[in-house]
Amino acid sequence: MRGLNLDQLITFATVVEHGGFTEAAGRLGLTQPAVSMQIRNLEERFGVRLVERVGKRALPTAAGRDLLPFIRRLREEMEAAAVAMGRHRAGQVGRVRIGTGATACIYRLPPILTALRSAHPGLEIIVVTGNTPDILDAVEGGSLDLALVTLPAGRPGLSIEPVCAEELVCVGPGGDPCDGARSPAPGVTPAALADQTLILYERGGTMRAVIDGWFMAGGIQPRPAMELGNVEAIKNLVAAGLGRSILPSVTVGSPQDCDRFAVQPLMPPLIRKLGLVLRRDKVLDTGVRAMVKAITDMR
């Protein structure tokens, strides 16, 4: 109800509970005139008398008695609200929505999310994958709280902070290194891969732009035979002997990958950087702050 003062309602209930204005003032830490003023204002707001004096006691009128159950429920809701907000303040509940690429989702986020769930078991974590431009749009629009994306990336309203770097490598089927890498050169060059069957990330994402830039810096225009958005699909095709790819080293670093793939460095070296993205005006609640800390700790 417009203009209804919650403090006045609580003051009225306290007067009734303790049978007097002076007693209520002591309980509420107010002066007796301040209590009287609040009751008078509340009566004027409703247009009825709420308190009557019987001897030295202040008792509720019929209207006042009808008002008391509503105040009781309001108090209960206020206490429940305080408890709920306390859980948010302590990070016990809440929701964090993070966007990232498929590769980071598979290889970077799992240990972060496991630790976060252990520290904040009531925290709901929603992960959305996509290309960097789409993820940035979602952070800008507020449908995501933060993001972990491949750099470079930039938007005027976004704060983008580098958090880690990953080496990209040439990946071929196990036991079959790229022909050009058998020379004394320290790594696989764009020219060495030019005549190979290439299986690369699909166009439109920052990762593909980083890889294309490496080829073009070597005077090569890459012409992949296949373009996919899923790193595991790329790995399976490479393992089957259908071509070679350029992937982050973290994606082929497990013991199971040692026999499946021939992994070689690139020359010149190619590094992709991952960045943490937030709206500059984003209010960071406990859950978002915890996620930010977990990601920046990757350094």
Side-chain angles (χ1 to χ4, degrees):
M1 184 183 292
R2 199 172 203 180
L4 191 58
N5 188 303
L6 191 58
D7 287 339
Q8 292 174 359
L9 291 170
I10 292 175
T11 296
F12 163 68
T14 306
V15 168
V16 172
E17 288 169 4
H18 297 282
F21 286 66
T22 302
E23 293 82 355
R27 290 280 182 172
L28 297 170
L30 301 172
T31 64
Q32 192 273 336
V35 170
S36 298
M37 176 65 74
Q38 287 199 28
I39 298 300
R40 186 159 55 251
N41 290 340
L42 189 62
E43 290 177 333
E44 290 174 357
R45 178 68 185 81
F46 285 123
V48 294
R49 288 287 301 278
L50 298 172
V51 177
E52 60 182 354
R53 290 189 179 276
V54 178
K56 294 184 178 181
R57 290 183 58 79
L59 299 177
T61 63
R65 288 193 296 273
D66 284 346
L67 180 60
L68 286 172
F70 295 101
I71 299 175
R72 189 177 304 114
R73 289 197 293 273
L74 284 173
R75 275 179 159 174
E76 291 170 355
E77 292 298 324
M78 285 173 56
E79 291 169 0
V83 170
M85 294 304 99
R87 289 199 297 267
H88 278 277
R89 185 171 59 250
Q92 297 171 347
V93 296
R95 182 177 68 174
V96 178
R97 303 161 299 176
I98 180 171
T100 191
T103 303
C105 180
I106 296 171
Y107 294 97
R108 289 293 185 179
L109 281 189
I112 292 174
L113 301 185
T114 299
L116 205 58
R117 285 192 184 278
S118 177
H120 304 274
L123 187 64
E124 179 186 6
I125 301 172
I126 298 172
V127 180
V128 175
T129 61
N131 289 328
T132 294
D134 297 331
I135 293 296
L136 296 182
D137 287 343
V139 175
E140 269 191 323
S143 59
L144 291 176
D145 297 306
L146 71 164
L148 181 65
V149 301
T150 301
L151 302 181
R155 300 285 177 89
L158 299 179
S159 167
I160 302 177
E161 175 187 1
V163 291
C164 72
E166 297 178 337
E167 179 188 10
L168 273 70
V169 293
C170 174
V171 180
D176 186 16
C178 176
D179 294 339
R182 294 192 177 95
S183 68
V188 181
T189 64
L193 282 175
D195 297 327
Q196 302 292 326
T197 301
L198 295 177
I199 306 170
L200 298 181
Y201 285 96
E202 64 186 359
R203 297 176 189 272
T206 306
M207 176 75 91
R208 176 60 186 275
V210 168
I211 293 171
D212 284 353
W214 180 79
F215 275 107
M216 294 174 70
I220 302 296
Q221 178 68 47
R223 293 182 174 82
M226 287 176 269
E227 300 175 324
L228 298 96
N230 186 290
V231 65
E232 291 302 310
I234 294 175
K235 287 175 60 178
N236 285 335
L237 293 174
V238 170
L242 298 178
R244 291 174 174 78
S245 187
I246 293 177
L247 299 173
S249 58
V250 68
T251 67
V252 287
S254 73
Q256 299 93 318
D257 290 330
C258 291
D259 294 331
R260 295 180 70 203
F261 302 108
V263 178
Q264 300 164 270
L266 298 176
M267 181 52 61
L270 181 58
I271 304 295
R272 80 145 175 177
K273 294 181 179 179
L274 294 176
L276 171 66
V277 182
L278 289 160
R279 264 199 349 266
R280 295 188 186 276
D281 60 352
K282 177 67 177 176
V283 177
L284 303 186
D285 59 26
T286 303
V288 175
R289 283 199 304 273
M291 178 70 83
V292 168
K293 183 181 184 306
I295 290 175
T296 54
D297 281 350
M298 284 199 304
R299 292 174 179 154

